[in-house]
Amino acid sequence: GGMLTCAVAPHVLYGPGDALFVPGFLNAARCGVLRVMGDGEYVKDFTHVDNFCHAMMLAGDRMEEGQKAVGNTYWVTDGQPRRIWHAMDEAAVGMCYESILAKTLVPRWVAMVLAYFLAVVGWLLGLSFKLSPATADILMSNTYFDIRATETDLGYQPVVCFEDGWRDTISWFKENQEQWVGSAVSLVMNVPPRTRKATGKYVD
């Protein structure tokens, strides 16, 4: 016997200490440059980090010969898809930033034209911009998953609801701004991550 495995995949993973998803939005909102693209009603599944860990532990307990989970792939989410731009507006307002929903929405075609323009500029100058055609399309599309197999095969149920998880995440970011606030350049371009000095402070 070889090693028994299965795949457990989250979508829009978030939580206190997130270094990927939430900081990018909040940095843009902090500087006043974040705008809702499209109609702002696009829904996506979110996954709190505790729910992801819970599903991983459940999967690990089922890695035995004859278990249905062996060799399969399972999506894990908070249970119900949410409107991503409304969630980010709640985060911005929770941080005492200006509401992004109160600002003028950027039409889908304008966002896509800008994304392709930046892609061409990046290709010509050897730069990497955060707004790419793929990113724009992701932010202006619906993405959600059927997790019934995860529930039946792994016995999964969310241990943290989105409302509680999102509120705790916003609170963490509000209390730990020195750990995630980025430079103005990092809002539009992909730059090397900051490193931590022995003092515990970050440097660019």
Side-chain angles (χ1 to χ4, degrees), residues 113-161:
V113 168
L114 177 59
Y116 277 104
F117 171 75
L118 291 176
V120 172
V121 172
W123 178 76
L124 291 173
L125 301 180
L127 302 175
S128 177
F129 293 95
K130 289 190 173 181
L131 181 61
S132 66
T135 301
D137 188 60
I138 289 172
L139 293 173
M140 296 186 289
S141 62
N142 300 313
T143 313
Y144 45 90
F145 300 88
D146 185 343
I147 64 169
R148 284 178 294 182
T150 312
E151 295 171 339
T152 57
D153 295 358
L154 303 185
Y156 170 78
Q157 288 294 326
V159 294
V160 178
C161 68

Side-chain angles (χ1 to χ4, degrees), residues 38-113:
D39 62 13
E41 299 300 311
Y42 309 106
V43 298
K44 293 190 180 296
D45 268 324
F46 286 70
T47 310
H48 189 274
V49 63
D50 286 358
N51 289 333
F52 181 42
C53 292
H54 176 55
M56 292 281 284
M57 294 174 67
L58 290 173
D61 290 341
R62 286 160 176 76
M63 289 301 99
E64 299 177 357
E65 290 287 356
Q67 286 280 354
K68 189 175 182 180
V70 175
N72 285 324
T73 299
Y74 297 98
W75 285 101
V76 55
T77 72
D78 288 351
Q80 293 292 331
R82 304 287 172 169
R83 292 180 294 181
I84 186 170
W85 289 110
H86 286 251
M88 294 317 306
D89 183 69
E90 180 183 346
V93 173
M95 295 293 297
C96 299
Y97 303 150
E98 185 179 355
S99 168
I100 60 174
L101 291 175
K103 299 179 181 180
T104 301
L105 277 61
V106 178
R108 180 183 178 87
W109 72 269
V110 173
M112 293 305 299
V113 168

